[in-house]
């Protein structure tokens, strides 16, 4: 749900624009709210990671049954081949990559379209209604995916491309994760937020580390077991979210309630334009402001290019289960352990490696230059990791490449830190909105691009099977070059 490429950036990005600044409301139970928020994130992402490998296997089996029905003559519908090798053919894997790639692309569209209107509603009706809408839309989408897979004899699998329409209810995972950011911003002062965002990201990693081996174990009985349990966990996350109180600052609520009070007192309504005209005018002004902000500063352009290239390149990791299963003739369950491996190393990097490197560089460099050097190093590590994965012909070397890749996954957070130190505080909301839109566009482009690279690599065979990761390596080199062109104050 909240997971996916750039988990770290999702949590730390207010996609919905700005929120009122100034004195923060002091909640007696804000630690309790933070606990509930972490519970919701862990529950949602636990369900998501529980479902990734079984969903891939179920979709692969459905495609294999359609393209090679002779393999399933004596097998009841819904059962799986004991030997999945016939389903690793180029036609089956190419169709699976195509369906998954375009699904990832279409998933980005509702969040991009609804970012501004839901941003207005976020400050008008509150955080909780938007969060509940987003999570409800995501749950309906997950139900639809399972119905399509369950009744695949009657419903074509490509109907999954229509399921992102459910995200029009609330904007999807981008909006949900942005609301989580906003809630933390509402109730905690600025000096505490950095550590709290790390805590939220650690919660995502914890779900990733724990859910993947459990999913693999449950898949030894049937892929449907973790696939259905995953949705149940996500539903529990929605129930937990109900307990989170509204955190919209009272000043915003009072402003919204003034006009109804005046009407009830019998006062003549002010002669103002309709609210929808005000909203359109505000949206237009916001878009013009974003455009001027983007093109008015060289650093903003360089940062946006870096985020765009990294967003597209990072999506190559979404193919890891399908790729490892095809390349090394692994089961989906076995391939899913690579996700846990990356999650464990990510957690070590987050809690130990990055703080240690930052502490050492603090002695010699300013904060902006320090974060820029870490960003450049992370981009190089990511490119090397993808390059090793691309050429790896043995499972051990591929796992080593995944481990190297995970060491550089702090790229997104350190690049964001660089960006926030180079703009005025009043422009941070605009900066984050720009970055979020750029990442959304990158994720849209990544799906069909990497799916095509995967299919082409399988046709060419040999070392070219790693073509998606070659593309990822090149894109992170581009991201590193763009980051290197950022001008920091001395």
């Amino acid at each position: 749900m909240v997971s996916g490429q750039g988990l770290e950036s999702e949590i730390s990005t207010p996609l919905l624009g700005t929120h009122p600044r100034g004195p923060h409301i002091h909640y007696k139970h804000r630690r309790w709210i933070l606990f509930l928020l972490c519970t919701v994130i862990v529950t949602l992402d636990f369900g998501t990671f529980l479902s990734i490998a079984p969903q891939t296997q179920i979709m692969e089996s459905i495609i294999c049954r359609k393209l090679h029905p002779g393999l399933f003559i004596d097998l009841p519908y819904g059962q799986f081949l004991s030997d999945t090798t016939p389903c690793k053919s180029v036609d089956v894997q190419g169709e699976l990559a195509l369906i998954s790639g375009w699904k990832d692309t279409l998933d980005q569209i509702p969040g991009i379209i609804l970012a501004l209107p839901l941003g207005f509603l976020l400050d008008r009706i509150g955080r909780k209604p938007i969060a509940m809408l987003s999570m409800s839309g995501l749950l309906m989408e997950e139900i639809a995916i399972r119905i399509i897979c369950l009744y695949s004899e009657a419903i074509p699998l490509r109907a999954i491309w229509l399921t992102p329409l459910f995200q029009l209810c609330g904007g999807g995972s981008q909006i949900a994760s942005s609301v989580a950011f906003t809630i933390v911003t509402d109730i905690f002062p600025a000096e505490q937020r950095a550590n709290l965002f790390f805590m939220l990201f650690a919660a995502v990693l914890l779900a990733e580390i724990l859910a993947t081996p459990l999913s693999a174990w449950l898949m030894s009985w049937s892929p449907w077991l973790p696939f259905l349990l995953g949705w149940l966990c996500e539903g529990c996350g929605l129930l937990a979210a109900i307990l989170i109180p509204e955190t919209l600052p009272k000043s915003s609520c009072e402003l919204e309630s003034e006009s109804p009070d005046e009407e009830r007192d019998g006062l003549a309504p002010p002669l103002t334009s309709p609210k929808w005209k005000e909203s359109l005018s505000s949206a237009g002004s916001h878009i013009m402001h974003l455009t001027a902000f983007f093109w008015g500063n060289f650093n903003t352009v360089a940062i946006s290019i870096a985020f765009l290239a990294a967003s597209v390149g990072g999506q190559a990791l979404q193919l890891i289960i399908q790729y490892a299963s095809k390349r090394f003739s692994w089961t989906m369950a076995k391939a899913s352990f690579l996700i846990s491996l990356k999650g464990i190393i990510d957690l070590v990097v987050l809690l130990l490696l990055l703080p240690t490197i930052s502490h050492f560089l603090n002695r010699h460099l300013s904060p902006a230059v320090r974060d820029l050097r870490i960003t450049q190093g992370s981009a190089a590590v990511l490119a090397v990791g993808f390059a090793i994965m691309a050429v790896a012909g043995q499972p051990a070397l591929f796992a080593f490449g995944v481990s190297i890749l995970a060491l550089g996954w702090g790229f997104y957070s350190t690049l964001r830190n660089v960006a926030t130190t180079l703009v005025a505080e009043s422009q941070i909301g605009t900066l984050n909105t720009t970055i979020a839109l750029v990442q959304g566009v990158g994720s849209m482009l990544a799906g069909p691009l990497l799916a095509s690279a995967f299919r082409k690599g399988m046709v060419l065979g040999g070392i070219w099977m790693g073509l998606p990761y070659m593309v990822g390596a090149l894109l992170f080199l581009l991201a590193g070059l763009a980051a290197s062109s950022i001008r920091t104050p001395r």
Side-chain angles (χ1 to χ4, degrees):
M1 291 280 187
V2 182
S3 60
Q5 183 269 326
L7 296 174
E8 197 167 346
S9 59
E10 277 190 2
I11 290 176
S12 58
T13 306
L15 182 73
L16 304 176
T18 58
H19 41 266
R21 293 184 176 274
H24 291 269
I25 300 172
H26 293 282
Y27 287 91
K28 295 180 180 178
H29 305 296
R30 59 186 182 180
R31 290 289 170 184
W32 170 246
I33 295 174
L34 180 64
F35 171 77
L36 287 174
L37 196 59
C38 288
T39 301
V40 171
I41 290 172
V42 168
T43 309
L44 289 174
D45 281 287
F46 190 89
T48 299
F49 285 108
L50 201 63
S51 303
I52 289 176
Q55 177 174 320
T56 305
Q57 182 171 339
I58 289 169
M59 289 171 60
E60 179 189 76
S61 180
I62 291 170
I63 296 168
C64 191
R65 185 182 285 268
K66 294 288 185 183
L67 297 180
H68 304 284
L71 298 173
F72 296 83
I73 291 176
D74 299 323
L75 198 65
Y77 197 82
Q79 297 295 313
F80 298 86
L81 290 173
S82 56
D83 178 14
T84 59
T85 303
C87 292
K88 304 302 178 185
S89 59
V90 172
D91 56 348
V92 173
Q93 296 301 312
E95 178 69 7
L96 179 58
L98 180 70
I99 291 175
S100 300
W102 277 103
K103 169 67 165 55
D104 291 340
T105 293
L106 296 171
D107 272 335
Q108 306 301 318
I109 296 175
I112 293 174
I113 293 174
L114 297 176
L116 289 177
L118 287 178
F120 297 136
L121 289 176
L122 193 73
D123 290 329
R124 289 177 180 271
I125 66 175
R127 304 354 181 172
K128 188 171 181 178
I130 302 300
M132 300 301 291
L133 273 177
S134 299
M135 293 169 63
S136 298
L138 286 167
L139 281 175
M140 288 189 289
E141 180 182 15
E142 293 297 316
I143 292 173
I145 291 172
R146 283 153 178 79
I147 290 174
I148 290 169
C149 290
L150 192 61
Y151 296 100
S152 57
E153 279 192 313
I155 307 174
L157 191 57
R158 290 192 180 190
I160 282 178
W161 290 343
L162 299 176
T163 59
L165 289 173
F166 288 102
Q167 292 191 34
L168 293 175
C169 173
S173 59
Q174 295 181 32
I175 305 299
S177 57
S178 297
V179 174
F181 172 91
T182 307
I183 290 173
V184 172
T185 304
D186 286 339
I187 63 177
F188 287 98
E191 60 271 15
Q192 296 181 19
R193 289 179 206 154
N195 289 334
L196 294 173
F197 295 142
F198 279 136
M199 185 184 299
L200 294 182
F201 182 49
V204 175
L205 289 176
L206 183 65
E208 182 177 345
I209 292 167
L210 295 178
T212 305
L214 177 60
S215 176
W217 180 63
L218 292 173
M219 285 176 71
S220 63
W221 279 281
S222 170
W224 282 101
L225 185 57
F227 192 39
L228 296 176
L229 283 177
W231 179 85
L232 187 61
C233 288
E234 292 163 2
C236 291
L238 179 62
L239 294 177
I242 295 174
L243 301 176
I244 298 177
E246 178 57 63
T247 62
L248 178 67
K250 289 183 179 179
S251 57
S252 298
C253 294
E254 290 168 358
L255 288 173
E256 290 301 312
S257 62
E258 282 178 3
S259 56
D261 289 341
E262 291 175 355
E263 290 181 14
R264 283 194 296 268
D265 292 339
L267 298 177
L271 296 175
T272 58
S273 58
K275 285 188 177 182
W276 66 270
K277 287 187 177 181
E278 293 179 8
S279 298
L280 285 177
S281 175
S282 178
S285 299
H286 192 54
I287 291 171
M288 291 178 64
H289 181 58
L290 278 176
T291 304
F293 176 78
F294 179 82
W295 293 111
N297 187 302
F298 176 81
N299 280 344
T300 307
V301 176
I303 289 166
S304 298
I305 291 173
F307 270 112
L308 178 64
S311 297
V312 178
Q315 283 289 98
L317 203 62
Q318 299 294 321
L319 294 167
I320 189 169
I321 293 178
Q322 185 184 353
Y323 178 86
S325 177
K326 163 67 177 175
R327 184 76 184 260
F328 307 118
S329 298
W330 285 359
T331 63
M332 295 292 182
K334 185 177 181 180
S336 68
F337 279 101
L338 292 169
I339 296 177
S340 284
L341 173 64
K342 178 186 172 295
I344 292 169
I345 297 174
D346 280 343
L347 198 58
V348 172
V349 169
L350 177 70
L351 299 179
L352 296 177
L353 188 59
L354 280 181
T356 301
I357 294 174
S358 297
H359 179 72
F360 174 76
L361 293 180
N362 273 336
R363 303 173 187 173
H364 311 286
L365 303 172
S366 68
V369 176
R370 174 204 66 199
D371 289 337
L372 182 58
R373 295 292 176 264
I374 295 175
T375 301
Q376 292 167 338
S378 297
V381 170
L382 286 164
V384 170
F386 271 128
I388 293 173
M389 292 167 65
V391 301
Q394 298 296 323
L397 184 59
F398 187 80
F400 176 70
V402 173
S403 302
I404 296 297
L405 181 83
L407 292 175
W409 212 248
F411 171 89
Y412 299 95
S413 62
T414 54
L415 180 57
R416 188 178 302 280
N417 289 342
V418 172
T420 54
T421 59
L422 297 178
V423 300
E425 185 177 350
S426 60
Q427 294 181 311
I428 288 178
T430 304
L431 171 72
N432 283 326
T433 302
T434 302
I435 291 173
L437 291 174
V438 166
Q439 287 182 309
V441 171
S443 296
M444 286 178 59
L445 296 174
L449 172 65
L450 294 172
S452 298
F454 184 69
R455 298 177 75 181
K456 185 67 174 178
M458 285 190 299
V459 172
L460 294 174
I463 195 173
W464 291 106
M465 283 188 66
L467 188 59
Y469 299 119
M470 295 178 191
V471 173
L474 290 174
L475 286 169
F476 273 107
L477 281 177
L478 175 60
L481 290 173
S484 298
S485 67
I486 296 172
R487 303 161 185 166
T488 56
R490 299 293 178 185

